[in-house]
Amino acid sequence: MQQSYQDLYLTGLVNARALETQAIELLSRQVDRIESYPEIADALRRHIAESEQQRVRLDTILESLGSSNSTIKDFVTGLMGNMAALAHAPMQDEILKNTLANYAFEHFEIASYKSLLVLADLAGDATAPTALRQSLSEEERMAQWCADTLEPTVRKFATLAAQGEKAGI
């Protein structure tokens, strides 16, 4: 079935909006459990707020194009975010698993926003790229934070575990 650039762009926007819902759910569940890593909890809270703003930006773009989000996609991806966070919960190295997953997830979001910029260009949307670039910039900043804090998080986890203290979250 042939699809127009506009159709592909709208699908990409709906998918990105659902991805932000997944990010919010995933990070919210992580923050709920973090005890020994307040600096990570603070960064995740800040990024949850950014993700909420990114979702609003996507809603605005969708509305400007006469479309809206997919409740089903939002529900499914939100559920997936909750399930992913819960899957790590029983692990003794939960903080490490979350750290690695967040690093990968941020890069997935970066790729999503970069593809949306291409689709916006192909669909002739000259208005949305400003908002999409803002969200991309926020995702790139969070991905860099994930990269910068990977080693210190692993070191802190290993030190706490070696001392017999609560290290997982």
Side-chain angles (χ1 to χ4, degrees), residues 118-130:
V118 172
L119 290 170
D121 180 53
L122 291 170
D125 186 348
T127 306
T130 300

Side-chain angles (χ1 to χ4, degrees), residues 3-135:
Q3 290 185 297
S4 70
Y5 292 139
Q6 185 76 8
D7 291 339
L8 294 169
Y9 179 45
L10 287 172
T11 298
L13 290 166
V14 169
N15 289 343
R17 203 258 188 215
L19 190 61
E20 291 302 344
T21 297
Q22 183 178 6
I24 292 163
E25 292 299 321
L26 178 69
L27 298 178
S28 294
R29 294 305 75 74
Q30 289 178 16
V31 166
D32 289 347
R33 295 188 43 75
I34 292 176
E35 295 174 15
S36 302
Y37 302 84
E39 66 285 355
I40 292 175
D42 290 344
L44 295 182
R45 280 188 199 94
R46 284 191 302 273
H47 195 58
I48 290 166
E50 283 180 333
S51 295
E52 289 168 345
Q53 286 303 305
Q54 291 164 3
R55 192 167 59 180
V56 168
R57 283 183 212 124
L58 290 164
D59 283 340
T60 301
I61 295 168
L62 284 164
E63 287 170 15
S64 76
L65 298 170
S67 190
S68 64
N69 67 300
S70 166
T71 305
I72 293 170
K73 283 185 181 182
D74 284 350
F75 173 76
V76 170
T77 56
L79 181 63
M80 289 171 49
N82 280 313
M83 299 279 289
L86 291 173
H88 294 168
M91 307 297 174
Q92 291 188 8
D93 62 347
E94 177 182 358
I95 193 69
L96 296 184
K97 289 189 176 10
N98 289 347
T99 298
L100 299 174
N102 292 345
Y103 182 85
F105 196 87
E106 291 306 318
H107 284 85
F108 188 84
E109 288 183 294
I110 289 167
S112 176
Y113 280 107
K114 285 183 175 185
S115 71
L116 282 175
L117 286 165
V118 172
L119 290 170
D121 180 53
L122 291 170
D125 186 348
T127 306
T130 300
L132 295 173
R133 280 191 209 93
Q134 182 177 355
S135 295

